[in-house]
Amino acid sequence: MTSADAATRARSRLRRVARAVAYGLVVALVVTALAFLVRTQFDPLIDADRAAIGWATDVTREHPGLLRLLLTWQRLSSPTCLYAVATLVCLWVWRSLHLTTRALWAFVTMMVGWNLALDVKYLVQRARPVVPDPVSHAPGYSFPSGHAANATIAATTMVLLLWPSLHRSAAKVAAVAVASVLVLLTCLDRVFLGVHFPSDVTAGVLLGVGLVGASYVGYVDWRPPSPDPDPDPDPTTTTTTTTTTKERT
């Protein structure tokens, strides 16, 4: 690699990092502002949250079938289940599609997001909703919703991971639609079970989209360095096979 190539690679790396940091800061500011309103008990937000929880749990309480469906979705949308399936997809993309760095990016992004969502909970330390006649219970803090954040992280990452292999527009639209429905159902599940306020799930979605978006813009133009070619090839060799692996982004 020449010095010019090295300089170009360094500038490209700096641009990627700068874009990722800028994107992450914008989303972090939005989530922080929402967390500030929660911590300072901003009356309009708190009143809206409590009213929504009261109405949603009343609906769930009056429909036992809905409650069973919500509890089932709660188990299916747990981070453990989501990331187990997503990890299998990463392995398939790596082994079958040979998108090695893309699969690695997806897995690392999801694991970082899983831990980050938990860390934010301990920073804000918002108590769970208090419902006179609760329909469900959940441990830990409330803001942001871990189910909503992790569903968003997993769904967004999977769409970006599989995007190069979705050659038809219909397949791309379907992927985005399925991911959106998964996130929406998870958000509604948390509110109608009375274990999260609407602002909790909103923060979870923002955090998930922001994290994956920042990670992706930092990755999207990255290429793994390739070894330098042999500077003194054997002139007597009659057949030379050169394999260059260039991963699609």
Side-chain angles (χ1 to χ4, degrees):
M1 180 186 297
T2 66
S3 58
D5 292 335
T8 300
R9 188 182 294 276
R11 286 194 297 270
S12 176
R13 184 181 300 112
L14 287 174
R15 284 195 296 269
R16 292 197 310 272
V17 172
R19 288 198 305 267
V21 170
Y23 190 93
L25 284 175
V26 170
V27 177
L29 287 174
V30 175
V31 175
T32 300
L34 188 54
F36 176 78
L37 295 177
V38 167
R39 289 288 296 174
T40 57
Q41 295 290 295
F42 182 61
D43 287 339
L45 176 64
I46 301 302
D47 291 343
D49 271 346
R50 288 174 178 169
I53 285 293
W55 173 81
T57 52
D58 284 344
V59 171
T60 303
R61 198 176 295 109
E62 294 169 2
H63 298 83
L66 174 62
L67 176 58
R68 288 192 294 271
L69 288 174
L70 292 172
L71 292 174
T72 299
W73 187 259
Q74 176 178 252
R75 291 189 292 271
L76 293 176
S77 62
S78 68
T80 303
C81 290
L82 288 176
Y83 290 132
V85 174
T87 299
L88 292 177
V89 176
C90 290
L91 290 173
W92 176 75
V93 168
W94 168 43
R95 299 294 296 176
S96 299
L97 301 183
H98 308 294
L99 299 178
T100 305
T101 56
R102 197 177 191 90
L104 180 61
W105 162 80
F107 180 76
V108 171
T109 297
M110 291 187 296
M111 294 303 100
V112 170
W114 192 357
N115 284 275
L116 182 61
L118 185 60
D119 291 339
V120 175
K121 278 180 178 286
Y122 284 103
L123 285 174
V124 180
Q125 297 187 4
R126 185 186 197 182
R128 296 272 183 178
V130 177
V131 180
D133 185 13
V135 295
S136 183
H137 299 276
Y141 295 114
S142 189
F143 184 99
S145 165
H147 274 70
N150 287 296
T152 305
I153 292 168
T156 307
T157 302
M158 288 297 99
V159 170
L160 293 174
L161 172 64
L162 297 172
W163 198 258
S165 63
L166 303 176
H167 303 298
R168 297 183 178 180
S169 298
K172 294 179 178 179
V173 171
V176 173
V178 169
S180 301
V181 169
L182 185 150
V183 173
L184 178 60
L185 288 177
T186 303
C187 292
L188 293 175
D189 178 86
R190 309 318 287 154
V191 174
F192 277 83
L193 283 176
V195 294
H196 279 294
F197 295 107
S199 57
D200 297 335
V201 297
T202 300
V205 172
L206 290 173
L207 179 64
V209 171
L211 173 75
V212 178
S215 176
Y216 189 71
V217 298
Y219 156 79
V220 67
D221 293 327
W222 183 77
R223 292 291 186 277
S226 57
D228 291 333
D230 186 354
D232 187 20
D234 184 357
T236 63
T237 302
T238 58
T239 304
T240 301
T241 304
T242 303
T243 304
T244 302
T245 302
K246 185 175 182 180
E247 183 178 62
R248 292 172 295 171
T249 302

